[in-house]
Amino acid sequence: MVSLRLPLILLSLLAISFSCSAAPPPVYDTEGHELSADGSYYVLPASPGHGGGLTMAPRVLPCPLLVAQETDERRKGFPVRFTPWGGAAAPEDRTIRVSTDVRIRFNAATICVQSTEWHVGDEPLTGARRVVTGPVIGPSPSGRENAFRVEKYGGGYKLVSCRDSCQDLGVSRDGARAWLGASQPPDVVVFKKARPSPPD
C-alpha cells in the first residue's frame, strides 16, 4: 500500500509544481509575434473609427505631459516600451505577458527633458486619475503608481493601472483632447510593432 501511495504523492507534487511555475500567456502584436521588452510598439484602437494612437500633451501647465489619444486615426502617436515591474518576471524573460506587472514608457524625447515613463496621478482640480509621464511627485505608500498590466479583452487587449487596486484604463474627452485615465470604460487596443527609421 505504501509503495503505491509514494508514486501518487510524487505525481501530485509534480503537478502542483508545474501549475505554480507555469507563466501567463504572452501578449501578441498585430503580426502575431510576442511582445518583447526589447521592442517598441504603437498602442492603437482595435477597430477603426475610434481615433489614433497614444501621444503626449500638456494639460494645464507645459510640463508634465499627460497621455492623450490622437484624434486623427491616421496618426499612430508615439511608440511605447514595456518592461517587467520590480522583479515581476525573471530577468532573462523578456516576453511581456498578460496579467503581469509592467512599466510603460514612451520611446520618445520631450521638451520637458524628463522621463517619459507612465504613472497614474490625481488631477488637482477634479481628482480624476490620469496617466501622466515623468517622475512621481509625492508617491503613495504602495509606490505602485507606475505599475500597469495588459489584459486580454474584447478581441484585443486592455491596459490596466494597478496603483492601489487594479483599474481599467480608457480615454475620456475633455475639450479638444481625449485623455487616458483610470476608472473609465476600458478601450480595446492592439499593439503594432514600431519599425526603425531608415538611415538618411
Side-chain angles (χ1 to χ4, degrees):
M1 181 67 71
V2 173
S3 61
L4 287 175
R5 283 179 179 172
L6 187 58
L8 290 174
I9 292 172
L10 290 174
L11 284 172
S12 298
L13 290 173
L14 284 171
I16 293 170
S17 175
F18 178 79
S19 63
C20 291
S21 62
V27 179
Y28 292 95
D29 66 17
T30 54
E31 297 177 347
H33 300 136
E34 296 177 357
L35 261 63
S36 169
D38 300 314
S40 296
Y41 304 88
Y42 295 104
V43 183
L44 304 172
S47 56
H50 291 82
L54 297 181
T55 185
M56 292 175 277
R59 172 70 171 152
V60 177
L61 301 174
C63 297
L65 299 173
L66 276 65
V67 179
Q69 184 186 30
E70 296 279 10
T71 54
D72 187 342
E73 65 181 63
R74 295 170 296 181
R75 298 179 66 90
K76 297 193 295 286
F78 293 115
V80 302
R81 301 197 82 162
F82 299 88
T83 53
W85 190 91
E92 66 274 8
D93 185 5
R94 306 296 289 170
T95 301
I96 304 304
R97 302 180 181 278
V98 300
S99 306
T100 302
D101 289 348
V102 294
R103 299 174 186 264
I104 306 175
R105 67 175 175 85
F106 282 112
N107 191 19
T110 76
I111 60 170
C112 294
V113 195
Q114 62 185 24
S115 167
T116 58
E117 184 172 86
W118 295 14
H119 67 273
V120 171
D122 295 326
E123 201 168 69
L125 295 178
T126 65
R129 286 191 171 182
R130 307 279 191 193
V131 181
V132 187
T133 65
V136 177
I137 307 299
S140 67
S142 70
R144 289 177 54 84
E145 283 84 356
N146 60 354
F148 297 90
R149 293 180 184 178
V150 179
E151 301 286 2
K152 193 74 178 150
Y153 180 74
Y157 297 94
K158 65 179 178 179
L159 296 173
V160 178
S161 163
C162 290
R163 184 172 90 162
D164 302 315
S165 58
C166 290
Q167 295 179 301
D168 294 338
L169 294 180
V171 293
S172 59
R173 186 160 296 281
D174 185 357
R177 277 289 185 186
W179 306 97
L180 186 66
S183 298
Q184 302 291 337
D187 290 329
V188 187
V189 299
V190 294
F191 306 103
K192 182 179 177 62
K193 182 76 178 287
R195 305 298 179 191
S197 301
D200 297 332

PDB file of all heavy atoms in Angstrom, residues 149-188:
ATOM      1  N   ARG A 149      -0.749  46.681 -16.197  1.00  0.00           N
ATOM      2  CA  ARG A 149      -0.885  45.321 -16.744  1.00  0.00           C
ATOM      3  C   ARG A 149      -1.577  45.387 -18.095  1.00  0.00           C
ATOM      4  O   ARG A 149      -2.310  46.338 -18.380  1.00  0.00           O
ATOM      5  CB  ARG A 149      -1.695  44.417 -15.803  1.00  0.00           C
ATOM      6  CG  ARG A 149      -1.006  44.114 -14.491  1.00  0.00           C
ATOM      7  CD  ARG A 149      -1.853  43.213 -13.610  1.00  0.00           C
ATOM      8  NE  ARG A 149      -1.225  43.010 -12.300  1.00  0.00           N
ATOM      9  CZ  ARG A 149      -1.757  42.304 -11.309  1.00  0.00           C
ATOM     10  NH1 ARG A 149      -2.946  41.741 -11.468  1.00  0.00           N
ATOM     11  NH2 ARG A 149      -1.116  42.175 -10.167  1.00  0.00           N
ATOM     12  N   VAL A 150      -1.332  44.370 -18.899  1.00  0.00           N
ATOM     13  CA  VAL A 150      -2.061  44.163 -20.144  1.00  0.00           C
ATOM     14  C   VAL A 150      -2.955  42.948 -19.937  1.00  0.00           C
ATOM     15  O   VAL A 150      -2.478  41.895 -19.501  1.00  0.00           O
ATOM     16  CB  VAL A 150      -1.101  43.923 -21.323  1.00  0.00           C
ATOM     17  CG1 VAL A 150      -1.883  43.688 -22.611  1.00  0.00           C
ATOM     18  CG2 VAL A 150      -0.143  45.088 -21.493  1.00  0.00           C
ATOM     19  N   GLU A 151      -4.238  43.108 -20.205  1.00  0.00           N
ATOM     20  CA  GLU A 151      -5.187  42.010 -20.037  1.00  0.00           C
ATOM     21  C   GLU A 151      -5.890  41.728 -21.364  1.00  0.00           C
ATOM     22  O   GLU A 151      -6.164  42.647 -22.136  1.00  0.00           O
ATOM     23  CB  GLU A 151      -6.237  42.355 -18.970  1.00  0.00           C
ATOM     24  CG  GLU A 151      -5.682  42.656 -17.592  1.00  0.00           C
ATOM     25  CD  GLU A 151      -5.204  41.430 -16.838  1.00  0.00           C
ATOM     26  OE1 GLU A 151      -5.271  40.318 -17.397  1.00  0.00           O
ATOM     27  OE2 GLU A 151      -4.775  41.583 -15.680  1.00  0.00           O
ATOM     28  N   LYS A 152      -6.167  40.472 -21.614  1.00  0.00           N
ATOM     29  CA  LYS A 152      -6.929  40.093 -22.797  1.00  0.00           C
ATOM     30  C   LYS A 152      -8.350  40.630 -22.657  1.00  0.00           C
ATOM     31  O   LYS A 152      -8.964  40.528 -21.594  1.00  0.00           O
ATOM     32  CB  LYS A 152      -6.951  38.569 -22.918  1.00  0.00           C
ATOM     33  CG  LYS A 152      -7.429  38.051 -24.247  1.00  0.00           C
ATOM     34  CD  LYS A 152      -6.394  38.232 -25.330  1.00  0.00           C
ATOM     35  CE  LYS A 152      -6.915  37.641 -26.638  1.00  0.00           C
ATOM     36  NZ  LYS A 152      -6.383  38.325 -27.799  1.00  0.00           N
ATOM     37  N   TYR A 153      -8.877  41.221 -23.749  1.00  0.00           N
ATOM     38  CA  TYR A 153     -10.191  41.861 -23.619  1.00  0.00           C
ATOM     39  C   TYR A 153     -10.808  42.113 -24.985  1.00  0.00           C
ATOM     40  O   TYR A 153     -10.157  42.695 -25.870  1.00  0.00           O
ATOM     41  CB  TYR A 153     -10.057  43.193 -22.858  1.00  0.00           C
ATOM     42  CG  TYR A 153     -11.337  43.954 -22.659  1.00  0.00           C
ATOM     43  CD1 TYR A 153     -12.280  43.532 -21.739  1.00  0.00           C
ATOM     44  CD2 TYR A 153     -11.599  45.103 -23.390  1.00  0.00           C
ATOM     45  CE1 TYR A 153     -13.460  44.246 -21.547  1.00  0.00           C
ATOM     46  CE2 TYR A 153     -12.770  45.826 -23.206  1.00  0.00           C
ATOM     47  CZ  TYR A 153     -13.701  45.386 -22.271  1.00  0.00           C
ATOM     48  OH  TYR A 153     -14.856  46.084 -22.085  1.00  0.00           O
ATOM     49  N   GLY A 154     -12.032  41.659 -25.197  1.00  0.00           N
ATOM     50  CA  GLY A 154     -12.856  42.030 -26.332  1.00  0.00           C
ATOM     51  C   GLY A 154     -12.229  41.887 -27.705  1.00  0.00           C
ATOM     52  O   GLY A 154     -12.311  42.804 -28.511  1.00  0.00           O
ATOM     53  N   GLY A 155     -11.561  40.805 -27.982  1.00  0.00           N
ATOM     54  CA  GLY A 155     -10.932  40.622 -29.283  1.00  0.00           C
ATOM     55  C   GLY A 155      -9.583  41.303 -29.400  1.00  0.00           C
ATOM     56  O   GLY A 155      -8.966  41.290 -30.465  1.00  0.00           O
ATOM     57  N   GLY A 156      -9.116  41.925 -28.340  1.00  0.00           N
ATOM     58  CA  GLY A 156      -7.807  42.576 -28.316  1.00  0.00           C
ATOM     59  C   GLY A 156      -7.286  42.555 -26.894  1.00  0.00           C
ATOM     60  O   GLY A 156      -7.305  41.527 -26.219  1.00  0.00           O
ATOM     61  N   TYR A 157      -6.854  43.717 -26.423  1.00  0.00           N
ATOM     62  CA  TYR A 157      -6.330  43.838 -25.063  1.00  0.00           C
ATOM     63  C   TYR A 157      -6.851  45.128 -24.430  1.00  0.00           C
ATOM     64  O   TYR A 157      -7.377  46.006 -25.105  1.00  0.00           O
ATOM     65  CB  TYR A 157      -4.796  43.872 -25.076  1.00  0.00           C
ATOM     66  CG  TYR A 157      -4.173  42.609 -25.607  1.00  0.00           C
ATOM     67  CD1 TYR A 157      -3.825  42.501 -26.950  1.00  0.00           C
ATOM     68  CD2 TYR A 157      -3.935  41.527 -24.778  1.00  0.00           C
ATOM     69  CE1 TYR A 157      -3.252  41.340 -27.447  1.00  0.00           C
ATOM     70  CE2 TYR A 157      -3.364  40.362 -25.266  1.00  0.00           C
ATOM     71  CZ  TYR A 157      -3.027  40.272 -26.597  1.00  0.00           C
ATOM     72  OH  TYR A 157      -2.473  39.120 -27.091  1.00  0.00           O
ATOM     73  N   LYS A 158      -6.704  45.220 -23.119  1.00  0.00           N
ATOM     74  CA  LYS A 158      -6.955  46.469 -22.408  1.00  0.00           C
ATOM     75  C   LYS A 158      -5.764  46.746 -21.500  1.00  0.00           C
ATOM     76  O   LYS A 158      -5.067  45.828 -21.056  1.00  0.00           O
ATOM     77  CB  LYS A 158      -8.249  46.414 -21.596  1.00  0.00           C
ATOM     78  CG  LYS A 158      -8.240  45.411 -20.445  1.00  0.00           C
ATOM     79  CD  LYS A 158      -9.557  45.449 -19.677  1.00  0.00           C
ATOM     80  CE  LYS A 158      -9.567  44.412 -18.552  1.00  0.00           C
ATOM     81  NZ  LYS A 158     -10.836  44.445 -17.763  1.00  0.00           N
ATOM     82  N   LEU A 159      -5.523  48.021 -21.246  1.00  0.00           N
ATOM     83  CA  LEU A 159      -4.487  48.428 -20.313  1.00  0.00           C
ATOM     84  C   LEU A 159      -5.117  48.662 -18.948  1.00  0.00           C
ATOM     85  O   LEU A 159      -6.228  49.191 -18.847  1.00  0.00           O
ATOM     86  CB  LEU A 159      -3.805  49.708 -20.799  1.00  0.00           C
ATOM     87  CG  LEU A 159      -3.033  49.589 -22.126  1.00  0.00           C
ATOM     88  CD1 LEU A 159      -2.561  50.964 -22.574  1.00  0.00           C
ATOM     89  CD2 LEU A 159      -1.868  48.637 -21.984  1.00  0.00           C
ATOM     90  N   VAL A 160      -4.402  48.267 -17.908  1.00  0.00           N
ATOM     91  CA  VAL A 160      -4.917  48.337 -16.547  1.00  0.00           C
ATOM     92  C   VAL A 160      -3.870  48.997 -15.657  1.00  0.00           C
ATOM     93  O   VAL A 160      -2.677  48.683 -15.744  1.00  0.00           O
ATOM     94  CB  VAL A 160      -5.249  46.925 -16.017  1.00  0.00           C
ATOM     95  CG1 VAL A 160      -5.747  46.982 -14.585  1.00  0.00           C
ATOM     96  CG2 VAL A 160      -6.281  46.245 -16.909  1.00  0.00           C
ATOM     97  N   SER A 161      -4.302  49.924 -14.833  1.00  0.00           N
ATOM     98  CA  SER A 161      -3.438  50.516 -13.816  1.00  0.00           C
ATOM     99  C   SER A 161      -3.609  49.747 -12.518  1.00  0.00           C
ATOM    100  O   SER A 161      -4.737  49.487 -12.086  1.00  0.00           O
ATOM    101  CB  SER A 161      -3.815  51.986 -13.605  1.00  0.00           C
ATOM    102  OG  SER A 161      -3.284  52.462 -12.386  1.00  0.00           O
ATOM    103  N   CYS A 162      -2.494  49.387 -11.894  1.00  0.00           N
ATOM    104  CA  CYS A 162      -2.562  48.651 -10.626  1.00  0.00           C
ATOM    105  C   CYS A 162      -1.836  49.425  -9.537  1.00  0.00           C
ATOM    106  O   CYS A 162      -0.904  48.940  -8.900  1.00  0.00           O
ATOM    107  CB  CYS A 162      -1.980  47.245 -10.789  1.00  0.00           C
ATOM    108  SG  CYS A 162      -3.005  46.162 -11.811  1.00  0.00           S
ATOM    109  N   ARG A 163      -2.291  50.657  -9.320  1.00  0.00           N
ATOM    110  CA  ARG A 163      -1.670  51.519  -8.305  1.00  0.00           C
ATOM    111  C   ARG A 163      -2.007  51.008  -6.909  1.00  0.00           C
ATOM    112  O   ARG A 163      -1.150  50.493  -6.201  1.00  0.00           O
ATOM    113  CB  ARG A 163      -2.139  52.968  -8.478  1.00  0.00           C
ATOM    114  CG  ARG A 163      -1.448  53.923  -7.510  1.00  0.00           C
ATOM    115  CD  ARG A 163      -1.763  55.373  -7.808  1.00  0.00           C
ATOM    116  NE  ARG A 163      -2.948  55.833  -7.097  1.00  0.00           N
ATOM    117  CZ  ARG A 163      -3.237  57.125  -6.919  1.00  0.00           C
ATOM    118  NH1 ARG A 163      -2.449  58.056  -7.423  1.00  0.00           N
ATOM    119  NH2 ARG A 163      -4.324  57.484  -6.277  1.00  0.00           N
ATOM    120  N   ASP A 164      -3.235  51.155  -6.482  1.00  0.00           N
ATOM    121  CA  ASP A 164      -3.678  50.622  -5.190  1.00  0.00           C
ATOM    122  C   ASP A 164      -4.467  49.343  -5.428  1.00  0.00           C
ATOM    123  O   ASP A 164      -4.197  48.308  -4.843  1.00  0.00           O
ATOM    124  CB  ASP A 164      -4.524  51.657  -4.456  1.00  0.00           C
ATOM    125  CG  ASP A 164      -3.751  52.961  -4.238  1.00  0.00           C
ATOM    126  OD1 ASP A 164      -2.578  52.881  -3.843  1.00  0.00           O
ATOM    127  OD2 ASP A 164      -4.312  54.038  -4.491  1.00  0.00           O
ATOM    128  N   SER A 165      -5.476  49.451  -6.276  1.00  0.00           N
ATOM    129  CA  SER A 165      -6.171  48.278  -6.800  1.00  0.00           C
ATOM    130  C   SER A 165      -6.149  48.434  -8.316  1.00  0.00           C
ATOM    131  O   SER A 165      -5.875  49.511  -8.833  1.00  0.00           O
ATOM    132  CB  SER A 165      -7.613  48.228  -6.281  1.00  0.00           C
ATOM    133  OG  SER A 165      -8.302  49.410  -6.655  1.00  0.00           O
ATOM    134  N   CYS A 166      -6.407  47.357  -9.024  1.00  0.00           N
ATOM    135  CA  CYS A 166      -6.328  47.413 -10.478  1.00  0.00           C
ATOM    136  C   CYS A 166      -7.587  48.049 -11.062  1.00  0.00           C
ATOM    137  O   CYS A 166      -8.704  47.673 -10.707  1.00  0.00           O
ATOM    138  CB  CYS A 166      -6.126  46.011 -11.055  1.00  0.00           C
ATOM    139  SG  CYS A 166      -4.484  45.337 -10.691  1.00  0.00           S
ATOM    140  N   GLN A 167      -7.398  49.036 -11.943  1.00  0.00           N
ATOM    141  CA  GLN A 167      -8.493  49.755 -12.594  1.00  0.00           C
ATOM    142  C   GLN A 167      -8.239  49.801 -14.093  1.00  0.00           C
ATOM    143  O   GLN A 167      -7.111  50.039 -14.537  1.00  0.00           O
ATOM    144  CB  GLN A 167      -8.607  51.179 -12.055  1.00  0.00           C
ATOM    145  CG  GLN A 167      -8.991  51.270 -10.589  1.00  0.00           C
ATOM    146  CD  GLN A 167      -9.050  52.719 -10.126  1.00  0.00           C
ATOM    147  OE1 GLN A 167      -8.079  53.451 -10.192  1.00  0.00           O
ATOM    148  NE2 GLN A 167     -10.217  53.142  -9.671  1.00  0.00           N
ATOM    149  N   ASP A 168      -9.302  49.600 -14.863  1.00  0.00           N
ATOM    150  CA  ASP A 168      -9.188  49.679 -16.314  1.00  0.00           C
ATOM    151  C   ASP A 168      -8.800  51.092 -16.742  1.00  0.00           C
ATOM    152  O   ASP A 168      -9.164  52.075 -16.094  1.00  0.00           O
ATOM    153  CB  ASP A 168     -10.513  49.311 -16.983  1.00  0.00           C
ATOM    154  CG  ASP A 168     -10.890  47.857 -16.757  1.00  0.00           C
ATOM    155  OD1 ASP A 168      -9.992  47.048 -16.472  1.00  0.00           O
ATOM    156  OD2 ASP A 168     -12.093  47.533 -16.870  1.00  0.00           O
ATOM    157  N   LEU A 169      -8.101  51.182 -17.866  1.00  0.00           N
ATOM    158  CA  LEU A 169      -7.749  52.466 -18.446  1.00  0.00           C
ATOM    159  C   LEU A 169      -8.569  52.703 -19.707  1.00  0.00           C
ATOM    160  O   LEU A 169      -8.782  51.780 -20.500  1.00  0.00           O
ATOM    161  CB  LEU A 169      -6.258  52.516 -18.796  1.00  0.00           C
ATOM    162  CG  LEU A 169      -5.275  52.467 -17.632  1.00  0.00           C
ATOM    163  CD1 LEU A 169      -3.842  52.537 -18.150  1.00  0.00           C
ATOM    164  CD2 LEU A 169      -5.536  53.603 -16.647  1.00  0.00           C
ATOM    165  N   GLY A 170      -9.019  53.928 -19.869  1.00  0.00           N
ATOM    166  CA  GLY A 170      -9.762  54.304 -21.059  1.00  0.00           C
ATOM    167  C   GLY A 170      -9.615  55.788 -21.295  1.00  0.00           C
ATOM    168  O   GLY A 170      -9.130  56.514 -20.434  1.00  0.00           O
ATOM    169  N   VAL A 171     -10.010  56.246 -22.469  1.00  0.00           N
ATOM    170  CA  VAL A 171      -9.899  57.670 -22.778  1.00  0.00           C
ATOM    171  C   VAL A 171     -11.239  58.359 -22.523  1.00  0.00           C
ATOM    172  O   VAL A 171     -12.307  57.789 -22.750  1.00  0.00           O
ATOM    173  CB  VAL A 171      -9.449  57.908 -24.236  1.00  0.00           C
ATOM    174  CG1 VAL A 171      -8.024  57.430 -24.441  1.00  0.00           C
ATOM    175  CG2 VAL A 171     -10.375  57.248 -25.230  1.00  0.00           C
ATOM    176  N   SER A 172     -11.158  59.585 -22.023  1.00  0.00           N
ATOM    177  CA  SER A 172     -12.348  60.412 -21.827  1.00  0.00           C
ATOM    178  C   SER A 172     -12.074  61.764 -22.449  1.00  0.00           C
ATOM    179  O   SER A 172     -10.984  62.326 -22.285  1.00  0.00           O
ATOM    180  CB  SER A 172     -12.676  60.557 -20.336  1.00  0.00           C
ATOM    181  OG  SER A 172     -11.596  61.150 -19.646  1.00  0.00           O
ATOM    182  N   ARG A 173     -13.048  62.269 -23.177  1.00  0.00           N
ATOM    183  CA  ARG A 173     -12.865  63.528 -23.894  1.00  0.00           C
ATOM    184  C   ARG A 173     -13.136  64.706 -22.965  1.00  0.00           C
ATOM    185  O   ARG A 173     -14.089  64.724 -22.211  1.00  0.00           O
ATOM    186  CB  ARG A 173     -13.791  63.580 -25.110  1.00  0.00           C
ATOM    187  CG  ARG A 173     -13.566  64.797 -26.000  1.00  0.00           C
ATOM    188  CD  ARG A 173     -14.113  64.575 -27.386  1.00  0.00           C
ATOM    189  NE  ARG A 173     -13.431  63.499 -28.071  1.00  0.00           N
ATOM    190  CZ  ARG A 173     -12.239  63.620 -28.650  1.00  0.00           C
ATOM    191  NH1 ARG A 173     -11.606  64.782 -28.594  1.00  0.00           N
ATOM    192  NH2 ARG A 173     -11.685  62.609 -29.252  1.00  0.00           N
ATOM    193  N   ASP A 174     -12.231  65.680 -23.034  1.00  0.00           N
ATOM    194  CA  ASP A 174     -12.368  66.915 -22.275  1.00  0.00           C
ATOM    195  C   ASP A 174     -11.898  68.035 -23.192  1.00  0.00           C
ATOM    196  O   ASP A 174     -10.708  68.255 -23.364  1.00  0.00           O
ATOM    197  CB  ASP A 174     -11.526  66.859 -21.006  1.00  0.00           C
ATOM    198  CG  ASP A 174     -11.727  68.081 -20.120  1.00  0.00           C
ATOM    199  OD1 ASP A 174     -12.478  68.989 -20.522  1.00  0.00           O
ATOM    200  OD2 ASP A 174     -11.112  68.140 -19.041  1.00  0.00           O
ATOM    201  N   GLY A 175     -12.844  68.737 -23.809  1.00  0.00           N
ATOM    202  CA  GLY A 175     -12.488  69.744 -24.791  1.00  0.00           C
ATOM    203  C   GLY A 175     -12.059  69.091 -26.091  1.00  0.00           C
ATOM    204  O   GLY A 175     -12.695  68.153 -26.579  1.00  0.00           O
ATOM    205  N   ALA A 176     -10.929  69.543 -26.619  1.00  0.00           N
ATOM    206  CA  ALA A 176     -10.454  69.021 -27.903  1.00  0.00           C
ATOM    207  C   ALA A 176      -9.620  67.758 -27.745  1.00  0.00           C
ATOM    208  O   ALA A 176      -9.233  67.148 -28.738  1.00  0.00           O
ATOM    209  CB  ALA A 176      -9.633  70.093 -28.632  1.00  0.00           C
ATOM    210  N   ARG A 177      -9.347  67.355 -26.517  1.00  0.00           N
ATOM    211  CA  ARG A 177      -8.458  66.219 -26.276  1.00  0.00           C
ATOM    212  C   ARG A 177      -9.182  65.063 -25.609  1.00  0.00           C
ATOM    213  O   ARG A 177     -10.156  65.248 -24.883  1.00  0.00           O
ATOM    214  CB  ARG A 177      -7.300  66.644 -25.370  1.00  0.00           C
ATOM    215  CG  ARG A 177      -6.141  67.326 -26.078  1.00  0.00           C
ATOM    216  CD  ARG A 177      -5.363  66.329 -26.909  1.00  0.00           C
ATOM    217  NE  ARG A 177      -4.177  66.934 -27.493  1.00  0.00           N
ATOM    218  CZ  ARG A 177      -3.388  66.311 -28.342  1.00  0.00           C
ATOM    219  NH1 ARG A 177      -3.676  65.090 -28.725  1.00  0.00           N
ATOM    220  NH2 ARG A 177      -2.324  66.918 -28.841  1.00  0.00           N
ATOM    221  N   ALA A 178      -8.665  63.863 -25.870  1.00  0.00           N
ATOM    222  CA  ALA A 178      -9.115  62.663 -25.162  1.00  0.00           C
ATOM    223  C   ALA A 178      -7.948  62.182 -24.315  1.00  0.00           C
ATOM    224  O   ALA A 178      -6.865  61.896 -24.849  1.00  0.00           O
ATOM    225  CB  ALA A 178      -9.557  61.583 -26.150  1.00  0.00           C
ATOM    226  N   TRP A 179      -8.145  62.108 -23.004  1.00  0.00           N
ATOM    227  CA  TRP A 179      -7.070  61.800 -22.066  1.00  0.00           C
ATOM    228  C   TRP A 179      -7.218  60.373 -21.551  1.00  0.00           C
ATOM    229  O   TRP A 179      -8.323  59.909 -21.280  1.00  0.00           O
ATOM    230  CB  TRP A 179      -7.101  62.767 -20.889  1.00  0.00           C
ATOM    231  CG  TRP A 179      -7.074  64.201 -21.302  1.00  0.00           C
ATOM    232  CD1 TRP A 179      -8.142  65.036 -21.431  1.00  0.00           C
ATOM    233  CD2 TRP A 179      -5.932  64.962 -21.671  1.00  0.00           C
ATOM    234  NE1 TRP A 179      -7.743  66.270 -21.856  1.00  0.00           N
ATOM    235  CE2 TRP A 179      -6.390  66.263 -22.015  1.00  0.00           C
ATOM    236  CE3 TRP A 179      -4.564  64.690 -21.755  1.00  0.00           C
ATOM    237  CZ2 TRP A 179      -5.532  67.284 -22.417  1.00  0.00           C
ATOM    238  CZ3 TRP A 179      -3.711  65.709 -22.151  1.00  0.00           C
ATOM    239  CH2 TRP A 179      -4.185  66.978 -22.476  1.00  0.00           C
ATOM    240  N   LEU A 180      -6.086  59.704 -21.376  1.00  0.00           N
ATOM    241  CA  LEU A 180      -6.090  58.341 -20.831  1.00  0.00           C
ATOM    242  C   LEU A 180      -6.123  58.412 -19.314  1.00  0.00           C
ATOM    243  O   LEU A 180      -5.328  59.137 -18.698  1.00  0.00           O
ATOM    244  CB  LEU A 180      -4.849  57.582 -21.294  1.00  0.00           C
ATOM    245  CG  LEU A 180      -4.785  56.096 -20.922  1.00  0.00           C
ATOM    246  CD1 LEU A 180      -5.884  55.311 -21.636  1.00  0.00           C
ATOM    247  CD2 LEU A 180      -3.414  55.514 -21.268  1.00  0.00           C
ATOM    248  N   GLY A 181      -7.049  57.688 -18.708  1.00  0.00           N
ATOM    249  CA  GLY A 181      -7.161  57.715 -17.259  1.00  0.00           C
ATOM    250  C   GLY A 181      -7.778  56.450 -16.709  1.00  0.00           C
ATOM    251  O   GLY A 181      -8.282  55.601 -17.449  1.00  0.00           O
ATOM    252  N   ALA A 182      -7.734  56.335 -15.394  1.00  0.00           N
ATOM    253  CA  ALA A 182      -8.303  55.175 -14.714  1.00  0.00           C
ATOM    254  C   ALA A 182      -9.786  55.399 -14.454  1.00  0.00           C
ATOM    255  O   ALA A 182     -10.300  56.511 -14.547  1.00  0.00           O
ATOM    256  CB  ALA A 182      -7.572  54.929 -13.401  1.00  0.00           C
ATOM    257  N   SER A 183     -10.480  54.321 -14.103  1.00  0.00           N
ATOM    258  CA  SER A 183     -11.906  54.336 -13.776  1.00  0.00           C
ATOM    259  C   SER A 183     -12.763  54.778 -14.945  1.00  0.00           C
ATOM    260  O   SER A 183     -13.820  55.369 -14.770  1.00  0.00           O
ATOM    261  CB  SER A 183     -12.165  55.246 -12.562  1.00  0.00           C
ATOM    262  OG  SER A 183     -11.490  54.761 -11.427  1.00  0.00           O
ATOM    263  N   GLN A 184     -12.290  54.503 -16.158  1.00  0.00           N
ATOM    264  CA  GLN A 184     -13.064  54.792 -17.356  1.00  0.00           C
ATOM    265  C   GLN A 184     -13.497  53.453 -17.971  1.00  0.00           C
ATOM    266  O   GLN A 184     -12.912  52.422 -17.685  1.00  0.00           O
ATOM    267  CB  GLN A 184     -12.219  55.560 -18.373  1.00  0.00           C
ATOM    268  CG  GLN A 184     -11.643  56.869 -17.861  1.00  0.00           C
ATOM    269  CD  GLN A 184     -12.714  57.915 -17.633  1.00  0.00           C
ATOM    270  OE1 GLN A 184     -13.782  57.847 -18.230  1.00  0.00           O
ATOM    271  NE2 GLN A 184     -12.441  58.873 -16.764  1.00  0.00           N
ATOM    272  N   PRO A 185     -14.520  53.430 -18.838  1.00  0.00           N
ATOM    273  CA  PRO A 185     -14.762  52.185 -19.574  1.00  0.00           C
ATOM    274  C   PRO A 185     -13.495  51.800 -20.335  1.00  0.00           C
ATOM    275  O   PRO A 185     -12.859  52.663 -20.945  1.00  0.00           O
ATOM    276  CB  PRO A 185     -15.899  52.555 -20.533  1.00  0.00           C
ATOM    277  CG  PRO A 185     -16.568  53.725 -19.898  1.00  0.00           C
ATOM    278  CD  PRO A 185     -15.485  54.480 -19.189  1.00  0.00           C
ATOM    279  N   PRO A 186     -13.086  50.554 -20.288  1.00  0.00           N
ATOM    280  CA  PRO A 186     -11.817  50.174 -20.937  1.00  0.00           C
ATOM    281  C   PRO A 186     -11.899  50.291 -22.450  1.00  0.00           C
ATOM    282  O   PRO A 186     -12.946  50.043 -23.049  1.00  0.00           O
ATOM    283  CB  PRO A 186     -11.614  48.713 -20.503  1.00  0.00           C
ATOM    284  CG  PRO A 186     -12.984  48.216 -20.196  1.00  0.00           C
ATOM    285  CD  PRO A 186     -13.738  49.390 -19.656  1.00  0.00           C
ATOM    286  N   ASP A 187     -10.791  50.690 -23.051  1.00  0.00           N
ATOM    287  CA  ASP A 187     -10.681  50.725 -24.503  1.00  0.00           C
ATOM    288  C   ASP A 187     -10.010  49.441 -24.973  1.00  0.00           C
ATOM    289  O   ASP A 187      -9.044  48.964 -24.357  1.00  0.00           O
ATOM    290  CB  ASP A 187      -9.856  51.931 -24.956  1.00  0.00           C
ATOM    291  CG  ASP A 187     -10.585  53.242 -24.733  1.00  0.00           C
ATOM    292  OD1 ASP A 187     -11.826  53.238 -24.809  1.00  0.00           O
ATOM    293  OD2 ASP A 187      -9.924  54.257 -24.481  1.00  0.00           O
ATOM    294  N   VAL A 188     -10.510  48.899 -26.070  1.00  0.00           N
ATOM    295  CA  VAL A 188      -9.894  47.712 -26.663  1.00  0.00           C
ATOM    296  C   VAL A 188      -8.759  48.182 -27.552  1.00  0.00           C
ATOM    297  O   VAL A 188      -8.962  48.992 -28.463  1.00  0.00           O
ATOM    298  CB  VAL A 188     -10.905  46.891 -27.488  1.00  0.00           C
ATOM    299  CG1 VAL A 188     -10.272  45.587 -27.950  1.00  0.00           C
ATOM    300  CG2 VAL A 188     -12.165  46.621 -26.676  1.00  0.00           C
TER     301      VAL A 188
END
